[in-house]
Amino acid sequence: MPIAIEPVTDGFHDEVYRICRAAWEADVPDIPYGSRAAYDALLRHPRPGQDFERYLAVLDGAPAGFLRIRLPTQDNLRTAHLDLLTDPGRRRRGVGRALFEYAVARAHALGRTYLRSETTDNRPDGRAFATAMGAAAGLADTRSRLDLPPADQGRLDALLAEAWTHADGYRLAQWTGVPPAELIDDVAYLDGRLVLDAPMGDLAVEQEKTDAATIRAIEEFLVAIGRTSIHTGAVHGDRVVAWTTVTGDNDSPGQAWQQITIVDPEHRGHRLGLIVKLENLRYLRGRRPELRAIDTFNATANEHMLAINDAMGFRRVDHWMQWQLTV
């Protein structure tokens, strides 16, 4: 029986959530999957700056796979991001290929040149599938995890104290959610630098257009979908010159994600990346005492940031690959 690809309608969200959760738990069992309430919140409040298309693969009359196409609307307008998941009980029956071929057709119709997706080495057949579809390896990532509480808080305190000896003239700013009005433009500038400063491998990525309105919209979006963001910046004069943030789902208080950490190039060499991450960890733990694990992704080539993570006690857990196909 042929595989049918159908747009996701309201009556199928239970099945979509079931497939997404089952696939995630099969491939990344150590990270809790988001709740159904979080899934529903994302439907009601799509991420700013992106459009979405959602499709269901039906095999033998039953839902067997899910495809979400994410389409940037402010920059990187030639790129489409794919989240392609197959029900673990229906794998190796052509469902993934059918969804991928449908995604290629949609990319052509939408005028998108680059398809991007990712796989984890926890699932070797993901790499084999991406290669069979003609995708090229674009950027290798490493996932690291910090288990809490740290085994040696005294060591972290000493590490932070030593780092501050290299940062004379800097002070901290810490906040939750939308940055204070006097800091938001600096945060937007740093956020927009990520593509310039972080390794991007062979991915075709344009610098993102980020301003204060973008930062405010993203933070309001996080609140709407039930996530909290915790931020720490290093300030020199009246400017934020280094910044880090951690986000976590409010209904999964035991786990959070370390997100961007970035230092203005003019202020490197003062241990600011380590300082803001350690200070943010202290701030975060005060606000989320139930926290037991922080996960983060870094480009495998970014040994500087990985070394900071190692010094903090993160352990390298697994490896991922971002793939790109030119269509």
Side-chain angles (χ1 to χ4, degrees):
M1 186 173 182
I3 298 167
I5 309 296
E6 304 174 356
V8 174
T9 57
D10 288 344
F12 284 97
H13 286 299
D14 285 342
E15 285 297 324
V16 170
Y17 179 75
R18 179 190 63 77
I19 290 169
C20 292
R21 180 165 192 148
W24 181 265
E25 291 178 346
D27 299 338
V28 199
D30 63 322
I31 301 178
Y33 190 70
S35 67
R36 177 57 195 268
Y39 172 89
D40 290 339
L42 278 168
L43 293 177
R44 295 192 303 269
H45 305 284
R47 186 179 180 89
Q50 295 184 352
D51 286 336
F52 297 86
E53 294 186 358
R54 297 175 175 86
Y55 299 95
L56 198 63
V58 179
L59 174 66
D60 297 331
F66 172 65
L67 167 68
R68 183 175 69 167
I69 306 176
R70 296 182 285 127
L71 303 162
T73 59
Q74 297 177 338
D75 43 52
N76 290 280
L77 301 180
R78 299 173 64 195
T79 299
H81 300 264
L82 307 184
D83 300 311
L84 194 161
L85 301 167
T86 302
D87 187 328
R90 299 294 189 91
R91 290 176 177 173
R92 299 186 180 278
R93 298 182 63 182
V95 173
R97 179 180 289 273
L99 286 169
F100 185 82
E101 290 174 351
Y102 193 86
V104 170
R106 289 300 299 150
H108 281 298
L110 295 164
R112 302 282 167 151
T113 304
Y114 304 110
L115 289 181
R116 282 176 52 189
S117 193
E118 63 184 10
T119 60
T120 171
D121 284 357
N122 293 332
R123 180 187 164 192
D125 56 335
R127 175 180 287 271
F129 175 81
T131 302
M133 296 301 100
L139 179 66
D141 286 325
T142 296
R143 177 169 67 98
S144 302
R145 164 167 284 193
L146 180 65
D147 297 301
L148 297 172
D152 186 355
Q153 184 62 48
R155 185 185 63 81
L156 289 182
D157 292 341
L159 189 65
L160 179 58
E162 196 280 333
W164 269 115
T165 67
H166 300 269
D168 187 42
Y170 296 88
R171 59 183 175 86
L172 283 185
Q174 296 183 304
W175 66 93
T176 299
V178 178
E182 67 273 17
L183 305 180
I184 194 168
D185 288 327
D186 297 334
V187 172
Y189 166 75
L190 291 172
D191 187 77
R193 285 200 60 89
L194 182 62
V195 168
L196 301 178
D197 294 351
M200 291 294 157
D202 294 323
L203 299 176
V205 185
E206 302 170 4
Q207 185 176 3
E208 295 183 356
K209 299 174 183 177
T210 306
D211 56 16
T214 304
I215 296 296
R216 184 174 292 107
I218 292 297
E219 292 296 334
E220 291 171 349
F221 156 76
L222 292 174
V223 171
I225 64 170
R227 293 180 187 168
T228 297
S229 60
I230 304 293
H231 307 258
T232 293
V235 180
H236 189 267
D238 60 355
R239 288 187 54 228
V240 178
V241 298
W243 165 58
T244 192
T245 179
V246 172
T247 62
D249 288 342
N250 297 336
D251 57 5
S252 296
Q255 189 269 344
W257 288 95
Q258 169 68 58
Q259 306 286 358
I260 186 173
T261 300
I262 192 165
V263 179
D264 189 304
E266 295 181 4
H267 293 268
R268 291 175 184 165
H270 298 281
R271 310 283 176 90
L272 297 181
L274 177 60
I275 287 170
V276 294
K277 291 186 78 164
L278 284 168
E279 293 282 11
N280 204 47
L281 175 60
R282 178 183 291 173
Y283 183 46
L284 172 67
R285 295 190 67 199
R287 300 187 65 88
R288 297 188 69 148
E290 311 94 335
L291 191 62
R292 292 294 176 265
I294 301 173
D295 291 280
T296 190
F297 284 101
N298 297 99
T300 303
N302 192 352
E303 277 297 337
H304 175 71
M305 192 57 66
L306 285 167
I308 289 177
N309 291 342
D310 292 345
M312 290 179 63
F314 281 84
R315 55 186 174 87
R316 304 186 190 191
V317 177
D318 53 21
H319 299 281
W320 297 61
M321 180 61 70
Q322 297 188 47
W323 299 86
Q324 182 171 278
L325 176 69
T326 304
V327 298

